[in-house]
Amino acid sequence: MLNALEVVTVVVVGVMVGVEFAVPFFINPILNALPGDNGLRGRVHGARVGGAVMPFWYIGSLVLVGVWAVAGWDDDGTRLVMTAAALLIVSVLMSILVLVPINNRVKTWADGSRPADWKEQVKRWDRWHYVRVAVITAAFACLAAALV
């Protein structure tokens, strides 16, 4: 049973990392290349979709890692699993304190209703998202290494 939990956790966290990695390296460059305000419209839609889905994914991932840490407490890889949990906690805190407030503003922007500093807000979100991707990638690497 523990092996199944480990595999499910690695897959869930790994797919989350892949989705979050795709945002700055694939999706945003595509959106930025669109003419006019279409890229911003895409970001607004992405903020709505991501804002609805990602909280459950992040918290669910953290719960899975926590269950793995408890269930496999005596295993050799427990320190790596605990490190992954700590990194995921950091990513959730970053999200709540910095990224979600910006995301909540972005998803309210409609045609002509964006603030004067919208580009700075988007750039700030992008910078913090790079950090979050690095943090969750490190968590994923710890989980993968714990399987070995």
Side-chain angles (χ1 to χ4, degrees):
M1 188 66 160
L2 181 59
N3 288 340
L5 172 65
E6 293 168 347
V7 170
V8 167
T9 303
V10 169
V11 169
V12 168
V13 173
V15 173
M16 181 179 73
V17 169
V19 168
E20 293 288 39
F21 181 88
V23 170
F25 296 106
F26 297 100
I27 296 170
N28 285 347
I30 291 168
L31 293 175
N32 293 339
L34 294 174
D37 286 347
N38 291 321
L40 180 58
R41 288 178 188 194
R43 281 184 179 258
V44 169
H45 184 66
R48 289 182 184 137
V49 172
V53 173
M54 296 316 286
F56 297 103
W57 209 339
Y58 273 81
I59 299 302
S61 295
L62 184 55
V63 168
L64 285 170
V65 172
V67 171
W68 177 356
V70 171
W73 190 253
D74 294 329
D75 290 354
D76 293 336
T78 301
R79 287 186 186 199
L80 288 167
V81 176
M82 295 297 292
T83 301
L87 289 166
L88 290 175
I89 289 169
V90 168
S91 74
V92 168
L93 290 174
M94 285 174 48
S95 297
I96 292 169
L97 297 174
V98 181
L99 293 155
V100 169
I102 297 170
N103 196 62
N104 286 341
R105 288 191 297 274
V106 170
K107 68 184 179 182
T108 66
W109 297 346
D111 292 337
S113 72
R114 61 182 178 254
D117 69 338
W118 73 271
K119 288 183 182 179
E120 290 79 22
Q121 290 188 53
V122 167
K123 287 179 185 176
R124 182 170 187 233
W125 188 92
D126 288 347
R127 284 191 304 271
W128 278 99
H129 186 71
Y130 281 117
V131 175
R132 179 170 62 180
V133 168
V135 169
I136 63 174
T137 300
F140 174 68
C142 287
L143 294 173
L147 290 176
V148 178

